Amino acid sequence: MRRSGAATVFSMLTASLVASCASATTKVEKKGDGWQLLRDGAPYFIKGAGGDGSKQLLKELGGNSFRTWGADGSENKLNEAQKLGLTMTLGIWLGHKEHGFDYHNAAAVAAQFANACKAIDKYKDHPALLAWGIGNEMEIGQPDGDPAVWQAIEQIAAYAKKVDPNHPTMTVVAELGGDKVTQINKYCPSIDIIGINTYGGGPSIAERYKKAGGLKPYVITEFGPAGTWEVGKNAWNASPELSSTAKAARYRETYEKTIAGQPMSLGSYAFTWGNKQEATATWFGLMLPDGSRLGAVDTLSELWTGKPVTNRSPAIKSLKIEGTEKVQPESIVRVALDSADPENDPLKVEWLLQQDPVQNNTGGATESVPPSYPEAIVKSDTRSVELKMPKFGGAYRVFVFLRDNHGGAAVANVPLFVEGGSAAQAGSARRATLPFAIYEEGDTANDHYIPAGYMGNAGAIKMEAGSTDNPHSGATCLKVEYSAKDNWGGVVWQSPANDWGDLPGGYDLSGAKKLTFWARGAKGGEVVSFSFGSLGKDKKYFDTASNQIKDVRLTDEWNQYNIYVKGQDLSRIKTSFVWVIAGQGQPITFYLDDIRYE
């Protein structure tokens, strides 16, 4: 049968579109004494990063891939990667002991496996998919010799290889040590690649991996400067931080000694492509909050492309306190800066005095931003700052931020300690703009509140963002599963994550009249209690208001529920949303959507 010209053209365009969106094939292949990655038959060395920074910038600077830690919201991320010509290693989050997950709980492991399979089935044919990242540091806290976590990983990896022979499997561990490499060799035959997160020990990974008995190829899945847990402490237990200029050299050292030219290496993902408050405001970020790139970004671009960037970021040679590090309340302190710009560009200089929480977080949880003191700056210029210290005793850091007129930046800080003085002020909650979302499309949390407070039988809890099971609005909703028949469980949305009232944080939600959300049960009849403000005044940083609706009996249709807050003191809400469920003789599944303060 003959086709019309228009029909033929349409058919050709459709075929072209389908071909362009066909799933690419990634293979791990033995090469001499080592390994290589092949993408559609061509050698592919991973030049990537992990984080929420601009993927357009990643592409422009020579990167070719990025990784995620969980599968939530992956469709949009994969689509962005495809649009930019990048690939993505899709992370499948696995439970951690510190969050209450028990790999000897058969029901919890089965539920985790089922959710991993759903993610694999959903995304396996996406053309931007490079590999599966099954878990991230899930072995932390597990005893040596216990195979349970590795057996759970193998089960997921075996399923991935069965239904998706086109993409390799990887599991990601925290550094080397213990028996994790030998356990993976023994119990995980379906794992193709070992991902290694490493910081201070990055330059020696190639040598240490071989000594640990490594047989599979590796990808360095996180790397950067030494972590706070790896560096020395000063007299008040604060960790001195390298300048962004000095950190760039650490990225280079790890890349040149462990990643490039190593027969077992398939490439790397630098951490973190973006900005994050962890240990300090700048410890791990490759960028400033406004997107300005720091020196390590220039270094990575040169390593990826073989060519230096056209205009380099400013350089900090030194930042020094003129005098002692321990000072008296309201005393005058002077800090001197020695810096330069490689192209002699004009520099904008910003100074900041901030409280230092002196934390030693190794879990990567998001932290609250400590209070700052702009009024402490008496005078400043491009070479120094004069500060009048606060009357509050305790630890502080003086930051300096340099920016050129080409998107480059540099940052450094020095710690200070005020002896004596009055008690340090409580951290002020950040003012929220209403309406204020707690749950947004395709993610369990935004940057505001994190659903990190697992309670009760935490191992029986599974929350899946991005569920397409009949969402109330948009394309997805939040699916909650409680797999136990008895006991109880719940989750608290916290600011900061994993804090129960010991740290500053939260938001000022003044002006809100209600906390509103939509919910439905999978079958109908599920009983769930909802609340906010779970931190009482026995805590240092408590919630200034609270309210609840108890024992809500859900239907199998979406219904809107409101917790009224009008007239309450909402000046500091650290726990913005809570659900709690008691065992009801059978596993319970329910759904949430559009959670916000209005």
Side-chain angles (χ1 to χ4, degrees), residues 34-290:
W35 300 84
Q36 69 174 353
L37 206 60
L38 299 176
R39 183 144 173 97
D40 284 340
Y44 190 94
F45 193 72
I46 299 171
K47 304 172 183 179
D52 295 328
S54 167
K55 304 307 185 295
Q56 177 68 46
L57 180 64
L58 179 67
K59 173 70 173 181
E60 290 173 359
L61 294 177
N64 62 10
S65 188
F66 62 93
R67 69 170 289 219
T68 66
W69 285 258
D72 297 346
S74 287
E75 187 162 357
N76 290 339
K77 297 171 184 175
L78 284 164
N79 288 343
E80 182 182 19
Q82 175 69 3
K83 180 180 177 181
L84 293 171
L86 300 172
T87 65
M88 186 176 106
T89 289
L90 194 154
I92 297 174
W93 185 259
L94 300 185
H96 285 216
K97 184 177 182 179
E98 66 175 334
H99 299 152
F101 194 89
D102 181 4
Y103 280 91
H104 293 278
N105 181 326
V109 171
Q112 178 173 262
F113 172 71
N115 280 287
C117 293
K118 289 179 183 178
I120 294 166
D121 291 340
K122 183 175 182 179
Y123 299 116
K124 63 184 177 65
D125 296 320
H126 198 286
L129 180 65
L130 180 70
W132 300 106
I134 302 172
N136 184 82
E137 301 187 353
M138 63 280 121
E139 83 284 2
I140 291 178
Q142 304 294 338
D144 283 357
D146 185 347
V149 64
W150 311 115
Q151 290 169 337
I153 291 167
E154 168 59 21
Q155 184 184 26
I156 296 169
Y159 179 83
K161 295 188 79 64
K162 176 183 177 182
V163 301
D164 177 24
N166 294 326
H167 301 100
T169 57
M170 175 171 68
T171 192
V172 178
V173 297
E175 252 291 342
L176 300 176
D179 64 352
K180 62 186 73 178
V181 173
T182 55
Q183 291 280 70
I184 292 171
N185 289 342
K186 181 177 181 180
Y187 292 105
C188 301
S190 300
I191 287 291
D192 300 307
I193 306 164
I194 296 184
I196 305 168
N197 294 344
T198 182
Y199 291 91
S204 63
I205 283 290
E207 179 184 354
R208 290 189 290 123
Y209 183 65
K210 184 177 180 180
K211 289 181 178 179
L215 302 174
K216 303 172 188 285
Y218 64 75
V219 171
I220 301 302
T221 37
E222 291 179 20
F223 72 104
T228 53
W229 61 94
E230 298 174 302
V231 300
K233 312 294 181 186
N234 67 9
W236 58 91
N237 205 40
S239 302
E241 180 178 352
L242 295 175
S243 70
S244 58
T245 306
K247 288 176 187 175
R250 300 297 185 270
Y251 280 90
R252 180 182 295 276
E253 185 180 13
T254 293
Y255 198 93
E256 291 180 341
K257 292 184 176 180
T258 288
I259 298 164
Q262 292 295 332
M264 302 291 279
S265 169
L266 303 180
S268 64
Y269 293 98
F271 186 84
T272 176
W273 191 257
N275 179 263
K276 184 182 183 185
Q277 172 71 40
E278 184 179 346
T280 74
T282 55
W283 198 287
F284 294 106
L286 285 161
M287 302 169 193
L288 296 181
D290 64 0

Side-chain angles (χ1 to χ4, degrees), residues 380-449:
S380 64
D381 55 32
T382 58
R383 293 178 294 179
S384 66
V385 65
E386 191 174 289
L387 305 162
K388 183 178 180 181
M389 297 303 292
K391 63 182 179 181
F392 309 107
Y396 296 84
R397 285 184 192 258
V398 182
F399 289 82
V400 63
F401 300 88
L402 304 178
R403 292 176 174 86
D404 64 18
N405 55 357
H406 293 275
V411 63
N413 70 70
V414 288
L416 281 165
F417 191 88
V418 173
E419 298 182 297
S422 57
Q425 68 179 145
S428 300
R430 290 159 285 181
R431 187 61 184 262
T433 300
L434 300 173
F436 191 77
I438 304 303
Y439 169 80
E440 294 182 311
E441 176 81 13
D443 200 356
T444 49
N446 45 39
D447 291 335
H448 308 142
Y449 292 94

